[in-house]
Amino acid sequence: MTENLSTSRYASISRQKANLLTTTLRGAENTQAYSQALEQARHWRAQHAEPTRECFSKLRRINRYKQSPTVFRLKRMNSILQKLKRGESHFTLGALDDIGGCRCIARNMNNVRKITEEVTHSFEVKRCKDYIECPQASGYRSCHVITKIPSEEKNYRVEIQIRTKLQHLWATSLEAEAMMHDPALKTGLPLERYDLENQYIARFFSLISSYFCLIEETPQHVDYRLCEKQIAYSLKQIPTIDTILDELRVFSEENITPFIVDYPADTTKPGGYFLLDFNMEEQTIQATHFDPSAIKDAMYLYNESEIESQHNVVLVSARSVNEISGAFPNYFGGTSEFVGYVEKLI
């Protein structure tokens, strides 16, 4: 039995206390109060590790489809802070539903519906958000189920995302572009809120999402109810489309070099945890492996790496390296398939 994370290295923080940290985290960063609030925010995130792991284990039992990778991650601190600091943000730290998150990537829409139904019957559910039936203007599509997971006399919210491989290719390709340009591209702001270059990128992804809706026979967003020929024509009118595709090719398998640190020779063992460190400048991805019992050490290194590294760092868990690479194609050179869909369309 593993040592409980929240009672060992990290002090316990209540949801109310986490909410009170929000104002300080939105303030000036060069103050002692901010540094202390940031450290406490990391503790609050760490407390989500065990309930997220419990949610992940249960989701793996529910997901009986072999071609549906299931992973979990703890949200990057930069992503948490960006969410709190958005100009129109009404979020507080304790109210965030996705600090702990699990993701299931289904083969098709039929499997998405079946897995979603089982999840809603197997977990205590706070709410559901169906962005497949009601896609966002940005083009984002996925089913989100916010669960309530008890741990150490508290209830933690863990978000389960259930999406098809096609929806996942879209989301991770957008994230790849956001790494090179503006992280706000992932938030789905209205087009007029971006500069011209990012407007082109945002419109490109909205149009491709609409095309994917046609392929999967799901509703398009009201602003992008177009046929295939109209979508292809609109894409060709984007002046920077060749640049966008070239940038996405940077994240292809031919260009990114993955290497695994401390991975066990006995691959029959459970996957454990992987700290992913993506160096975009050098186009390398380092995945440091931790045994299933080493979540405390993994969390410690996650916190330290976020402070010291200038790269994109995230802590994830899955059955195997193959599931990790399938769940994070933008890190492991998997954008080629997405680019292939676009090239076929235009």
Side-chain angles (χ1 to χ4, degrees):
M1 182 175 179
T2 59
E3 184 180 4
N4 186 282
L5 188 69
S6 62
T7 58
S8 55
R9 190 184 298 275
Y10 297 99
S12 181
I13 293 176
S14 67
R15 188 177 303 280
Q16 181 181 12
K17 172 65 176 175
N19 284 330
L20 292 174
L21 297 172
T22 305
T23 301
T24 305
L25 291 171
R26 287 175 178 156
E29 298 182 10
N30 58 344
T31 66
Q32 184 177 359
Y34 181 89
S35 298
Q36 291 174 345
L38 184 59
E39 182 64 20
Q40 289 177 306
R42 289 195 172 96
H43 292 179
W44 173 243
R45 178 181 64 177
Q47 288 172 206
H48 286 73
E50 288 187 9
T52 306
R53 177 171 58 187
E54 291 175 20
C55 181
F56 173 64
S57 297
K58 191 171 182 178
L59 181 60
R60 286 203 309 184
R61 293 193 294 271
I62 291 171
N63 177 20
R64 298 184 297 272
Y65 301 98
K66 292 183 179 179
Q67 295 182 330
S68 298
T70 303
V71 297
F72 93 65
R73 66 94 182 99
L74 292 176
K75 198 174 186 71
R76 300 177 186 91
M77 188 52 61
N78 276 346
S79 297
I80 292 172
L81 294 174
Q82 287 167 9
K83 202 165 188 177
L84 296 178
K85 292 179 179 181
R86 287 179 202 163
E88 74 288 357
S89 177
H90 60 278
F91 292 111
T92 57
L93 180 61
L96 295 181
D97 292 327
D98 60 347
I99 291 178
C102 299
R103 181 176 293 155
C104 183
I105 304 159
R107 187 176 182 181
N108 52 45
M109 276 304 304
N110 186 47
N111 288 2
V112 165
R113 294 187 180 101
K114 288 180 179 178
I115 294 169
T116 302
E117 184 177 1
E118 287 211 42
V119 165
T120 55
H121 283 92
S122 302
F123 288 88
E124 182 180 356
V125 175
K126 184 174 185 285
R127 66 173 171 269
C128 298
K129 305 173 185 176
D130 191 342
Y131 297 121
I132 299 176
E133 287 300 311
C134 300
Q136 296 182 333
S138 65
Y140 180 79
R141 296 186 302 143
S142 181
C143 282
H144 291 194
V145 182
I146 311 302
T147 65
K148 294 167 69 175
I149 308 295
S151 180
E152 289 295 296
E153 300 181 352
K154 292 184 178 70
N155 274 321
Y156 291 89
R157 300 168 189 170
V158 179
E159 180 182 80
I160 299 175
Q161 295 180 1
I162 307 157
R163 58 173 69 150
T164 65
K165 181 181 178 181
L166 203 56
Q167 293 158 13
H168 188 59
L169 282 175
W170 181 93
T172 51
S173 296
L174 174 61
E175 185 169 347
E177 274 295 282
M179 286 185 204
M180 302 184 91
H181 293 274
D182 185 352
L185 284 166
K186 296 188 297 179
T187 66
L189 296 175
L191 283 179
E192 61 270 16
R193 297 279 297 276
Y194 298 114
D195 62 26
L196 186 59
E197 181 182 29
N198 287 318
Q199 283 184 29
Y200 291 143
I201 295 170
R203 178 160 173 77
F204 167 85
F205 278 97
S206 294
L207 288 165
I208 295 301
S209 175
S210 187
Y211 172 55
F212 286 175
C213 288
L214 294 177
I215 294 175
E216 295 186 317
E217 298 182 346
T218 62
Q220 297 169 302
H221 186 271
V222 63
D223 293 340
Y224 291 92
R225 288 178 180 165
L226 306 170
C227 69
E228 184 175 325
K229 288 184 178 179
Q230 289 172 319
I231 293 171
Y233 176 80
S234 298
L235 284 169
K236 292 173 184 176
Q237 304 312 303
I238 297 176
T240 58
I241 187 168
D242 290 335
T243 300
I244 294 169
L245 292 174
D246 285 342
E247 289 173 346
L248 288 169
R249 291 186 187 101
V250 169
F251 291 85
S252 69
E253 190 173 3
E254 295 78 18
N255 293 326
I256 293 181
T257 304
F259 53 100
I260 313 299
V261 179
D262 295 331
Y263 194 63
D266 182 1
T267 55
T268 62
K269 292 182 178 180
Y273 304 92
F274 297 85
L275 184 65
L276 305 183
D277 187 329
F278 179 62
N279 185 332
M280 190 165 67
E281 183 177 340
E282 296 183 5
Q283 290 296 285
T284 59
I285 172 72
Q286 175 177 308
T288 303
H289 176 261
F290 297 86
D291 287 336
S293 61
I295 179 62
K296 185 171 62 173
D297 295 331
M299 275 304 309
Y300 178 77
L301 187 58
Y302 187 18
N303 286 334
E304 292 298 305
S305 298
E306 282 188 321
I307 295 169
E308 297 175 4
S309 176
Q310 300 300 311
H311 311 153
N312 287 282
V313 183
V314 65
L315 182 66
V316 303
S317 181
R319 292 185 182 96
S320 66
V321 174
N322 288 338
E323 281 205 330
I324 295 288
S325 60
F328 296 90
N330 48 323
Y331 283 175
F332 285 86
T335 57
S336 300
E337 188 172 357
F338 176 85
V339 171
Y341 275 104
V342 181
E343 290 174 333
K344 183 179 178 180
L345 175 61
I346 61 175

